[in-house]
Amino acid sequence: MADINSKLEIGVTTGPIRGSAKIHVPSPRLPGVAVAMREIHLEPGSGEPPVRVYDTSGPYSDPQASIDIKAGLPTLRRDWILARGDVEDYDGRAIKPEDNGQLGPDRSGGVPPFPKVVTRPLRAKTGQNVSQMHYARQGIITPEMEYVAIRENLGRAALKEQLIRDGQDWGAEIPDHVTAEFVRDEVARGRAIIPSNINHPESEPMAIGRNFLVKINANIGNSAVASDVASEVDKMVWSIRWGADTVMDLSTGRNIHDTREWILRNSPVPIGTVPIYQALEKVGGIAEDLTWEVFRDTLIEQAEQGVDYFTIHAGVRLPYIPLTAKRVTGIVSRGGSIMAKWCLAHHKESFLYERFDEITEIMKAYDVAYSLGDGLRPGSIADANDEAQFAELYTLGELTKRAWAQDVQVMIEGPGHVPMHKIKENMDKQLAACGEAPFYTLGPLVTDIAPGYDHITSGIGAAMIGWFGTAMLCYVTPKEHLGLPDRDDVKVGVVTYKLAAHAADLAKGHPAAKVRDDALSRARFDFRWRDQFNLSLDPETAEQYHDQTLPAEGAKTAHFCSMCGPKFCSMKITQEVREFAAKQNQAPETFLAAEEAEAGMAEMSRVYNEGGRELYIGAGGREHD
Amino acid sequence: MADINSKLEIGVTTGPIRGSAKIHVPSPRLPGVAVAMREIHLEPGSGEPPVRVYDTSGPYSDPQASIDIKAGLPTLRRDWILARGDVEDYDGRAIKPEDNGQLGPDRSGGVPPFPKVVTRPLRAKTGQNVSQMHYARQGIITPEMEYVAIRENLGRAALKEQLIRDGQDWGAEIPDHVTAEFVRDEVARGRAIIPSNINHPESEPMAIGRNFLVKINANIGNSAVASDVASEVDKMVWSIRWGADTVMDLSTGRNIHDTREWILRNSPVPIGTVPIYQALEKVGGIAEDLTWEVFRDTLIEQAEQGVDYFTIHAGVRLPYIPLTAKRVTGIVSRGGSIMAKWCLAHHKESFLYERFDEITEIMKAYDVAYSLGDGLRPGSIADANDEAQFAELYTLGELTKRAWAQDVQVMIEGPGHVPMHKIKENMDKQLAACGEAPFYTLGPLVTDIAPGYDHITSGIGAAMIGWFGTAMLCYVTPKEHLGLPDRDDVKVGVVTYKLAAHAADLAKGHPAAKVRDDALSRARFDFRWRDQFNLSLDPETAEQYHDQTLPAEGAKTAHFCSMCGPKFCSMKITQEVREFAAKQNQAPETFLAAEEAEAGMAEMSRVYNEGGRELYIGAGGREHD
């Protein structure tokens, strides 16, 4: 396969995504803005228009782009950022040995530093605020907002006649057509965020909000032995190829700083981190030795590199910790447990909570968005929706308003393990407590009894909470609770979450979501097998499964499938029903119109027996009735 | 592995299911009744009681049982059936060439006939009705009902203190403890069925109903070349090993009769079929040549063999067929399209509809249950909940009442492809139209865009509709729409549906469902890895995934996992929080009790610093915050 070959050459997965072509849709308003998406072209004979799909894969899937991970991606947003005139470059924080886990001078076991390291990062000029929320509240439509508007529409306007509003949106306000002004308003109100650190100009702007397409996040982490930096970068490239909208780098141990630099310089999607992980490394892994100074230093380090959002577990307050004592699985969030340890050891309120406004000052100088962590999320069905969880949620609501007071973007992290009947309460409480700030959940898993299948137990909960209003779904792989995911696990996790997010868009009544389902269903009905593969989330797997039963190339165009075989096909029958109905102009509006129906049936019957009887010789087998 | 070895010896998969022991719980009321279930024994040191789980695997997982597929299973129910004194044996219908697809006398390409073929099947004596519904309505509690009661309880009574009613049951009436009288009443009211053909005495009684555990069905079909009968039987054995509660034999082409005989004589679960498939074979695959006589002959043939439920597409009425003309994917049910063809060709009302009461006469003579087929179910998101679908549903409601008038058991088949926001309407309309007869759905799939992952797109819909009240979920494998499932696909499909059904039981508030989740979560929290594997739906896969990252045998007992490594573990921290909280008697009832909490915290802090600090040296990496 093309991408595999090129991977061997340049170290990361490249090549077009099967059956689709990269296009760039220019903004009619802003010259510099051209939005990347993919177009799936269907069989010429079908008379079907191409289907535009949201594309997270960046330049890696663009045959026109030349990829060199040592140079990094083009700095798409740099001119936009500088044009605003509110940033300055300065001598950045010097790299320290502890940034890479005390990696020795010989760098043994280390990754090489990124060749083109930025020595003079950007930050807001004194007294300035460079957050997208700040611009939005000033009434300014940024190029980032314009990009998001075009990106979310997917040419929706051109599809008007196909657009039927059909869904239950639970109070979401999804417009027929997304305008830049709508994006600005959503960001200004805090109902959406555009994670876009000014030091990550390589990123293609995207929005996380309940009134936009539901997004998904994939987590990656460095390997114990990170000898091959390309494979570290490829974890990100592979995730976005299958549809990850953002990627969280949860690396620990050695090489954290350098690995993150390689990922950021090559990432077209926003990158999130959990700064407390690196801070803990800097104090030798002893939680009680953590200090505000070490944590602050880490925030600056990562903000200068360009991390787009930080998970901050500032809601794990000292008085809430005893509430977890009665739990079956206690505290399962790593960040939450680190802070719980610190609070217990010092019997002090969390410094993340007490220094929150100082943290916000840093966030707004780089436009880093908050992802307020749910350190007390339930780790089992038994602990779902308990006091500890909601106590923290209410505190996150209070912190959201404090961040918004400084025009800093916020999203809220959610559970976890929750049985189906308790999922909606999570969404409703979050919307109420956090003023409709975007919700970002891990699953939730709807049962604990299927380790090895937790991408599915969580995909069920993710689809449901996405429908109810969650803006971004953090993926879970089949290895959850058991081990570290490999390349295949990451793909399965991303595709599972992509289908869950799409199911949520459909149920919310997103006006363009159904276009792809309908195009695929028409292809299925017409036996356009290649179109069916190309329109699916994972064309390779779809084709491979088909070929296991019908390997012959002819079967790709044959008007039958392995379920019924060549001699009998239920879909064929429908085609005649349709032809006859058309001929007889017989499609009564309700099933009560039986009489009129029967009238035409006599004629249908006659034509039918004169006509295509030979179509129906023989029989075949289908796996379900 | 033991089961693989034994498979090589005797042709089907046998051996105990990992980590569990087969037990037989005797009825305190009826001497002949001993109910098979499995008990998962946990680490002796854990102080945890064994966990009883519902067991569908039959004698194949019982080391005490001797398996010989040429002899078939013991006839568990035969004495119960004869003891009722309302059946007679008689000279059964003679096997005809067309029963096996005109298999030649040399039987080339055929399977051997089952050695111990029953020549004198049972049927009701003239004027008698042998359906479980008839007995129930007479106030008779049959051994089958007693078996079901004990089976559904899983020793629930012994677990009283663990049982908390926590769920949203949408009007279901699940009792704390299932009694035989409750089973009788549910069957009498038509809210549950016990599929139990008097000619399938090998089956272990089970109930399908909204107030019992949610069940799942797996479909199997014969291979094009069925040279190895053992592999045909093993498809059934493999499905029930992983949790299939019933199995549908959707075989077509040759060997239908003989293959079905092998499956029935070796099946401990109810077997369902779609008789119209075999009837179509008998007329050379030409739908318009189908006649009532050929169909009736097929019903008798299969009833004498012991098929427990028949899918009958009697709701596909002539006037509804034009309603499908406007659809994106028309008629996707094979049975539905066969009948649509027949109706169009003859311009006549369906003979299944017109002869319905005659069919019912046959059903009650053998206690075959109806599975009223949804021949007009939607095959795409676009066609969900349309006129054609609901027109058929209302007719199925009418037919349900006609079947009940003769005390014949009924369940109703449902869709299909339905977006999340339209799922509940399906359940609500079915309950209303069909008088709470059990609903039996295929999925539904909540999006069309993920071929290759349709076990997941449908698992989402299945979990939701199961929660809303569906009694049995028909599985979908990853090969759906693409090809024929292999052994691995069947396992993945069954396990996916098992977890969906369990998630539904949890959300409905089934009083015993949570016991297994809680036991597994405690094992997870205590790092009892083997217990965690054994309590999961697929222990082999769980252990295999764990070992890919931590293969060492020691890691099975180590108090850490690959997510955080040996030096840092969030669960450990919770253990101290708990210990300290216990010591200080500090577990305030609400998070508002912050003051009291802080009071104890000072002491906790002191103990903590004197105490286990050395527990916290170092750090590790976890894949999610």
Side-chain angles (χ1 to χ4, degrees):
Chain A
M1 260 159 52
D3 55 335
I4 297 306
N5 296 337
S6 43
K7 178 169 173 18
L8 296 178
E9 291 151 23
I10 65 162
V12 296
T13 308
T14 61
I17 292 171
R18 189 207 141 109
S20 69
K22 190 81 134 192
I23 60 171
H24 292 85
V25 178
S27 160
R29 298 173 59 252
L30 302 182
V33 177
V35 179
M37 37 189 94
R38 287 187 297 116
E39 224 167 37
I40 299 171
H41 288 270
L42 307 182
E43 286 183 13
S46 69
E48 293 266 338
V51 175
R52 284 189 184 178
V53 295
Y54 194 100
D55 178 37
T56 59
S57 59
Y60 299 97
S61 60
D62 185 352
Q64 309 309 319
S66 65
I67 301 297
D68 174 7
I69 64 170
K70 296 186 193 60
L73 294 178
T75 56
L76 174 71
R77 295 170 49 232
R78 184 168 175 85
D79 294 345
W80 306 347
I81 293 162
L82 296 177
R84 292 191 272 255
D86 52 6
V87 299
E88 64 189 2
D89 63 353
Y90 66 103
D91 287 325
R93 173 186 171 284
I95 310 302
K96 306 172 188 172
E98 60 265 36
D99 300 349
N100 284 304
Q102 306 299 342
L103 191 67
D106 66 340
R107 306 191 60 84
S108 64
V111 301
F114 184 73
K116 282 176 49 187
V117 66
V118 180
T119 53
R120 292 182 61 81
L122 300 176
R123 72 178 169 209
K125 289 178 181 164
T126 311
Q128 299 289 328
N129 181 335
V130 297
S131 81
Q132 291 290 318
M133 185 181 216
H134 183 70
Y135 301 131
R137 288 179 164 184
Q138 307 299 309
I140 298 165
I141 291 176
T142 62
E144 286 86 350
M145 297 170 196
E146 172 76 358
Y147 192 105
V148 164
I150 295 167
R151 190 174 196 180
E152 290 276 334
N153 278 318
L154 295 172
R156 203 186 292 181
L159 299 166
K160 266 279 179 283
E161 79 292 337
Q162 290 189 40
L163 303 184
I164 309 141
R165 296 305 292 258
D166 173 11
Q168 158 60 280
D169 64 15
W170 303 109
E173 296 174 22
I174 303 167
D176 285 342
H177 187 73
V178 178
T179 63
E181 171 55 25
F182 177 78
V183 176
R184 186 204 60 74
D185 187 58
E186 290 291 294
V187 172
R189 295 170 63 163
R191 295 205 301 195
I193 66 171
I194 302 175
S196 40
N197 185 318
I198 55 174
N199 290 312
H200 186 204
E202 300 88 353
S203 70
E204 299 173 346
M206 55 80 71
I208 301 166
R210 178 181 175 212
N211 295 321
F212 298 102
L213 290 161
V214 176
K215 306 303 190 297
I216 69 166
N217 172 74
N219 295 329
I220 61 173
N222 59 341
S223 310
V225 182
S227 51
D228 172 17
V229 70
S231 71
E232 297 298 319
V233 173
D234 193 53
K235 289 176 184 173
M236 175 273 295
V237 173
W238 182 247
S239 303
I240 64 176
R241 183 175 183 83
W242 295 108
D245 294 284
T246 75
V247 168
M248 289 194 76
D249 174 11
L250 303 181
S251 298
T252 54
R254 292 188 157 187
N255 306 302
I256 298 183
H257 182 98
D258 288 336
T259 303
R260 188 169 51 230
E261 187 73 23
W262 279 97
I263 291 169
L264 277 160
R265 300 288 73 81
N266 286 285
S267 175
V269 304
I271 297 296
T273 62
V274 187
I276 200 82
Y277 290 3
Q278 186 178 15
L280 185 69
E281 301 286 342
K282 292 180 180 179
V283 295
I286 302 171
E288 47 273 53
D289 290 354
L290 282 167
T291 63
W292 161 244
E293 291 65 29
V294 170
F295 186 73
R296 183 182 185 286
D297 173 68
T298 306
L299 294 182
I300 300 289
E301 172 190 355
Q302 298 195 12
E304 289 181 349
Q305 283 188 290
V307 173
D308 299 285
Y309 62 88
F310 289 154
T311 293
I312 308 275
H313 297 92
V316 181
R317 294 192 55 192
L318 180 62
Y320 305 158
I321 296 169
L323 299 177
T324 65
K326 294 170 293 180
R327 285 179 156 184
V328 168
T329 47
I331 299 173
V332 294
S333 155
R334 185 166 182 246
S337 58
I338 292 167
M339 290 314 298
K341 266 172 66 173
W342 189 92
C343 292
L344 285 178
H346 299 284
H347 180 237
K348 282 212 193 103
E349 185 55 271
S350 160
F351 61 82
L352 299 178
Y353 180 78
E354 301 215 310
R355 302 282 193 155
F356 189 76
D357 295 331
E358 290 170 73
I359 297 171
T360 306
E361 290 284 344
I362 296 167
M363 308 293 261
K364 73 180 179 191
Y366 302 89
D367 196 11
V368 182
Y370 273 112
S371 185
L372 293 176
D374 57 334
L376 302 181
R377 68 167 173 269
S380 57
I381 292 298
D383 296 341
N385 295 23
D386 72 351
E387 282 177 319
Q389 183 194 334
F390 288 135
E392 178 183 37
L393 180 62
Y394 301 136
T395 297
L396 299 185
E398 166 207 333
L399 296 174
T400 299
K401 280 139 194 105
R402 278 164 61 183
W404 284 353
Q406 295 194 55
D407 297 350
V408 167
Q409 306 191 95
V410 180
M411 62 180 166
I412 308 293
E413 296 184 9
H417 292 239
V418 184
M420 285 189 284
H421 67 292
K422 294 185 177 178
I423 290 176
K424 192 158 189 307
E425 181 183 13
N426 278 272
M427 191 70 235
D428 296 342
K429 281 196 157 75
Q430 188 272 342
L431 288 170
C434 304
E436 295 189 83
F439 204 22
Y440 168 32
T441 62
L442 179 70
L445 287 70
V446 296
T447 172
D448 302 333
I449 70 168
Y453 299 79
D454 281 333
H455 58 305
I456 303 177
T457 62
S458 68
I460 293 167
M464 291 175 72
I465 205 162
W467 173 27
F468 299 147
T470 292
M472 186 157 75
L473 307 169
C474 183
Y475 90 160
V476 170
T477 77
K479 293 279 171 66
E480 182 77 8
H481 299 118
L482 297 170
L484 302 178
D486 61 22
R487 187 176 169 88
D488 292 338
D489 297 318
V490 167
K491 178 181 174 180
V492 168
V494 169
V495 174
T496 298
Y497 270 64
K498 209 68 183 171
L499 72 85
H502 183 77
D505 289 329
L506 279 177
K508 286 166 76 176
H510 187 289
K514 202 162 149 289
V515 169
R516 189 173 183 176
D517 296 79
D518 293 351
L520 192 144
S521 293
R522 286 191 299 269
R524 180 171 284 156
F525 183 74
D526 298 343
F527 296 99
R528 286 180 274 115
W529 287 100
R530 284 200 190 76
D531 288 351
Q532 197 179 150
F533 302 149
N534 293 342
L535 285 162
S536 66
L537 289 176
D538 180 359
E540 280 84 1
T541 298
E543 176 163 29
Q544 180 204 333
Y545 284 179
H546 171 270
D547 291 0
Q548 282 173 20
T549 310
L550 291 172
E553 192 51 31
K556 300 272 197 341
T557 50
H559 273 212
F560 64 88
C561 63
S562 56
M563 272 72 81
C564 295
K567 292 185 296 177
F568 184 96
C569 174
S570 59
M571 291 221 180
K572 268 187 182 169
I573 293 161
T574 307
Q575 281 164 317
E576 279 105 33
V577 172
R578 185 175 293 181
E579 287 154 21
F580 289 130
K583 258 194 214 127
Q584 308 305 322
N585 189 19
Q586 270 300 330
E589 281 320 296
T590 89
F591 62 86
L592 297 173
E595 288 318 304
E596 305 91 278
E598 302 213 16
M601 283 290 176
E603 175 60 6
M604 285 170 72
S605 171
R606 191 186 56 69
V607 178
Y608 185 92
N609 285 308
E610 292 167 0
R613 176 170 169 138
E614 68 288 347
L615 290 173
Y616 306 108
I617 315 297
R622 188 172 184 188
E623 281 300 307
H624 52 266
D625 76 297
Chain B
M1 259 160 47
D3 55 335
I4 297 307
N5 298 336
S6 43
K7 177 168 173 22
L8 296 178
E9 291 150 25
I10 65 163
V12 295
T13 309
T14 61
I17 293 171
R18 188 208 143 110
S20 70
K22 190 81 137 192
I23 60 169
H24 292 85
V25 179
S27 160
R29 297 173 59 253
L30 303 182
V33 176
V35 180
M37 37 187 93
R38 288 186 296 117
E39 222 167 37
I40 300 171
H41 288 269
L42 307 182
E43 286 182 14
S46 69
E48 293 266 339
V51 176
R52 285 190 182 178
V53 295
Y54 195 100
D55 177 37
T56 58
S57 61
Y60 300 97
S61 60
D62 184 353
Q64 310 308 320
S66 66
I67 301 298
D68 173 8
I69 64 170
K70 296 186 193 62
L73 295 178
T75 55
L76 175 71
R77 295 171 47 235
R78 184 167 175 84
D79 294 345
W80 307 345
I81 293 161
L82 296 178
R84 293 191 273 255
D86 51 7
V87 299
E88 62 188 3
D89 63 355
Y90 66 104
D91 287 324
R93 172 186 172 284
I95 308 305
K96 306 171 187 174
E98 60 264 35
D99 299 349
N100 284 304
Q102 306 300 340
L103 190 67
D106 65 340
R107 307 191 61 84
S108 64
V111 301
F114 184 73
K116 284 176 46 186
V117 66
V118 180
T119 53
R120 291 183 61 80
L122 300 176
R123 72 178 167 206
K125 289 178 182 164
T126 313
Q128 300 288 328
N129 181 336
V130 297
S131 80
Q132 292 289 319
M133 185 180 215
H134 183 69
Y135 301 130
R137 287 179 165 184
Q138 306 299 310
I140 299 165
I141 292 176
T142 62
E144 287 86 349
M145 298 169 195
E146 172 75 359
Y147 193 105
V148 164
I150 295 167
R151 191 174 196 181
E152 290 276 335
N153 278 318
L154 295 173
R156 205 186 290 180
L159 298 164
K160 266 280 179 281
E161 80 290 340
Q162 291 190 38
L163 303 183
I164 308 141
R165 298 304 294 257
D166 173 13
Q168 158 60 280
D169 63 15
W170 303 108
E173 296 174 23
I174 303 168
D176 285 342
H177 186 72
V178 178
T179 63
E181 172 56 25
F182 177 79
V183 176
R184 187 204 59 75
D185 187 58
E186 290 291 295
V187 173
R189 295 170 63 163
R191 294 206 301 196
I193 66 172
I194 302 175
S196 40
N197 186 318
I198 55 175
N199 290 311
H200 186 204
E202 300 88 353
S203 70
E204 298 172 348
M206 55 82 68
I208 301 166
R210 178 180 175 214
N211 296 322
F212 298 101
L213 290 161
V214 175
K215 306 303 190 298
I216 70 166
N217 172 75
N219 295 328
I220 61 174
N222 58 341
S223 310
V225 182
S227 52
D228 172 17
V229 70
S231 70
E232 297 299 319
V233 173
D234 194 52
K235 289 176 184 173
M236 175 274 295
V237 173
W238 183 248
S239 304
I240 64 176
R241 183 175 183 84
W242 296 107
D245 294 283
T246 75
V247 168
M248 289 195 77
D249 175 12
L250 303 181
S251 297
T252 54
R254 292 188 156 185
N255 306 301
I256 297 182
H257 182 97
D258 288 336
T259 303
R260 187 169 51 229
E261 187 73 23
W262 279 97
I263 291 167
L264 276 160
R265 299 288 72 82
N266 286 285
S267 175
V269 304
I271 297 296
T273 62
V274 187
I276 202 80
Y277 289 4
Q278 187 178 15
L280 185 69
E281 301 286 343
K282 292 180 179 179
V283 295
I286 303 171
E288 47 272 53
D289 290 355
L290 282 166
T291 63
W292 161 244
E293 290 66 30
V294 170
F295 186 74
R296 183 181 185 286
D297 174 68
T298 306
L299 294 182
I300 301 289
E301 173 189 356
Q302 298 195 11
E304 289 181 350
Q305 282 187 292
V307 173
D308 300 285
Y309 62 88
F310 288 154
T311 293
I312 307 276
H313 297 92
V316 181
R317 293 193 55 192
L318 181 61
Y320 306 158
I321 296 169
L323 299 178
T324 65
K326 294 170 293 181
R327 285 179 157 183
V328 169
T329 48
I331 299 174
V332 293
S333 155
R334 184 163 183 251
S337 57
I338 292 166
M339 290 314 299
K341 265 172 65 173
W342 188 92
C343 294
L344 286 177
H346 299 285
H347 178 237
K348 282 213 192 103
E349 184 54 272
S350 159
F351 62 81
L352 298 178
Y353 179 79
E354 301 215 310
R355 303 281 193 156
F356 189 76
D357 294 332
E358 290 169 72
I359 297 171
T360 307
E361 291 284 344
I362 297 167
M363 308 294 261
K364 74 180 177 192
Y366 302 89
D367 196 11
V368 182
Y370 274 112
S371 185
L372 293 176
D374 56 334
L376 302 182
R377 69 167 172 270
S380 58
I381 292 297
D383 297 341
N385 295 25
D386 72 352
E387 279 178 323
Q389 183 194 335
F390 288 136
E392 179 184 37
L393 180 62
Y394 300 137
T395 297
L396 297 186
E398 166 207 332
L399 296 174
T400 299
K401 279 139 195 105
R402 278 165 60 183
W404 284 352
Q406 294 194 57
D407 296 351
V408 166
Q409 307 191 94
V410 179
M411 62 180 168
I412 309 293
E413 296 184 8
H417 292 238
V418 183
M420 284 189 285
H421 67 292
K422 294 185 176 179
I423 290 176
K424 192 156 189 308
E425 181 183 13
N426 277 272
M427 191 70 234
D428 295 343
K429 281 196 158 73
Q430 188 273 342
L431 287 170
C434 304
E436 294 190 84
F439 205 21
Y440 169 32
T441 61
L442 178 72
L445 287 69
V446 296
T447 172
D448 302 333
I449 69 168
Y453 299 79
D454 280 333
H455 58 305
I456 304 177
T457 61
S458 68
I460 292 167
M464 291 175 72
I465 204 162
W467 173 28
F468 298 148
T470 292
M472 186 157 77
L473 307 169
C474 183
Y475 89 161
V476 169
T477 78
K479 292 279 171 65
E480 182 78 8
H481 299 117
L482 297 169
L484 302 178
D486 61 22
R487 189 175 169 87
D488 292 339
D489 297 317
V490 167
K491 178 180 174 181
V492 169
V494 169
V495 174
T496 299
Y497 270 63
K498 211 68 184 171
L499 72 86
H502 183 77
D505 288 329
L506 279 177
K508 286 166 75 177
H510 187 289
K514 201 161 150 290
V515 170
R516 189 173 182 176
D517 295 78
D518 292 351
L520 191 144
S521 294
R522 287 192 299 268
R524 180 171 284 155
F525 182 74
D526 297 344
F527 296 100
R528 284 180 275 116
W529 286 100
R530 284 200 189 78
D531 288 351
Q532 195 179 150
F533 303 149
N534 293 341
L535 284 162
S536 66
L537 289 176
D538 181 357
E540 280 85 1
T541 298
E543 176 164 29
Q544 179 202 333
Y545 284 0
H546 171 271
D547 290 0
Q548 282 173 20
T549 311
L550 292 172
E553 194 49 33
K556 300 270 196 340
T557 50
H559 273 211
F560 63 89
C561 62
S562 56
M563 269 72 81
C564 296
K567 292 185 293 179
F568 184 95
C569 171
S570 58
M571 293 224 180
K572 270 188 182 169
I573 293 160
T574 306
Q575 282 165 316
E576 278 106 30
V577 172
R578 184 176 293 181
E579 286 154 21
F580 290 130
K583 259 196 214 126
Q584 308 304 324
N585 189 18
Q586 271 299 330
E589 280 321 295
T590 88
F591 61 85
L592 298 173
E595 287 319 304
E596 304 90 281
E598 302 212 15
M601 284 289 176
E603 175 60 6
M604 284 170 74
S605 170
R606 192 186 56 68
V607 179
Y608 185 92
N609 285 308
E610 291 168 358
R613 176 170 169 139
E614 69 289 345
L615 290 172
Y616 305 108
I617 314 299
R622 188 171 185 191
E623 280 301 308
H624 51 265
D625 76 300

